[in-house]
Amino acid sequence: MVQYLLGMVINLFVTVPTAHPGAQPAEYFTGSAQSVAWAITDGGLWLRLHASLGLLLVLAAIWTIVASVRARRARTLMILGGIFVLGAGFNGASFLNYDEGFSSMLMGGLMALAMACYVVGLFLAAPKQPAAMAAD
């Protein structure tokens, strides 16, 4: 939720310059790496926080996938959640690269799908409570 709120702050109150390292790249991945590195080092407080937290969320998604596979619980939902987090990240980089509002919308939508996967997955992965014992 913090990542979503940071994104809303950027969307409403921050103007991302159209000319920065990585903007309008000839090759997407190189431009994305440059754009994200610029956002973290020189993008202003809100953009720095948003980009940094986004990278941490990708690492958390990987950890969540590994933990779910080891526990043999909610694997499919955790993998889908991780894919959605990664997709949101790629659309964030795409927004930095090409300044397209559609990428921002996709980033928010994929974040919502990831959260849905994680909420349902955590509910399903919770240990089952034994039936209440009958009173003596």
Side-chain angles (χ1 to χ4, degrees):
M1 292 309 300
V2 170
Q3 181 70 334
Y4 179 77
L5 293 173
L6 287 171
M8 287 296 98
V9 168
I10 292 166
N11 189 34
L12 295 172
F13 304 113
V14 175
T15 301
V16 177
T18 55
H20 58 75
Q24 303 301 319
E27 197 275 314
Y28 174 79
F29 292 105
T30 302
S32 294
Q34 292 172 341
S35 290
V36 172
W38 168 81
I40 291 171
T41 59
D42 295 321
L45 176 64
W46 299 112
L47 189 55
R48 284 179 183 184
L49 290 172
H50 188 62
S52 298
L53 184 55
L55 290 176
L56 290 175
L57 287 173
V58 169
L59 294 176
I62 293 167
W63 178 85
T64 302
I65 291 169
V66 170
S68 71
V69 168
R70 285 186 178 164
R72 295 188 173 139
R73 292 181 172 266
R75 293 174 290 222
T76 302
L77 286 168
M78 297 301 118
I79 291 168
L80 279 174
I83 291 169
F84 291 142
V85 166
L86 194 57
F90 277 116
N91 277 283
S94 186
F95 176 77
L96 289 172
N97 287 354
Y98 305 111
D99 193 30
E100 294 288 333
F102 188 68
S103 294
S104 181
M105 184 189 77
L106 287 174
M107 185 175 18
L110 290 168
M111 186 282 313
L113 290 171
M115 291 227 3
C117 287
Y118 291 135
V119 167
V120 172
L122 289 173
F123 175 76
L124 294 176
K128 305 294 183 227
Q129 297 295 326
M133 300 292 287
D136 289 322

